[in-house]
Amino acid sequence: WEESFEAVRGHLLVAPLLSLLLLNRHPGPVLAWADRIAQWSFTSVIPGHFAGPVPASPEEFRAAFNFLDSEPSTRRPLAGVLPALPGGRGQGGVR
């Protein structure tokens, strides 16, 4: 779990449930939205969960959605984190 934590610490990330079950179904509109938001001038993001605001640039915000830029067969949001999540491969979890 420590490797997984280090992989995401200090970075914006899309919630795993959203990235795995919803946003990857329609990447085009999601990426268009993220690109529009990334054109704004800001220095922080207020997350829907956890403490905020989180220091972040428009580029860092857009980077949180980079998993949608790849082909569907290679999309792996949070690839370094999934093994530590319940049901993830490699660390027990629910199968």
Side-chain angles (χ1 to χ4, degrees):
W1 69 267
E2 291 172 347
E3 265 183 52
S4 297
F5 180 78
E6 288 302 320
V8 298
R9 186 170 81 159
H11 301 283
L12 291 179
L13 60 97
V14 175
L17 287 177
L18 290 177
S19 62
L20 293 169
L21 301 177
L22 184 64
L23 300 181
N24 64 348
R25 294 174 185 237
H26 302 286
V30 174
L31 289 171
W33 173 81
D35 288 339
R36 278 196 315 273
I37 301 302
Q39 292 175 7
W40 299 355
S41 177
F42 57 87
T43 58
S44 61
V45 172
I46 299 173
H49 301 283
F50 308 115
V54 175
S57 68
E59 294 80 17
E60 291 168 316
F61 173 83
R62 177 55 178 81
F65 296 88
N66 282 349
F67 69 94
L68 292 173
D69 286 327
S70 61
E71 292 298 317
S73 62
T74 60
R75 279 189 201 130
R76 300 224 32 227
L78 303 175
V81 176
L82 291 178
L85 297 176
R89 300 181 200 280
Q91 297 262 336
V94 179
R95 301 250 192 275

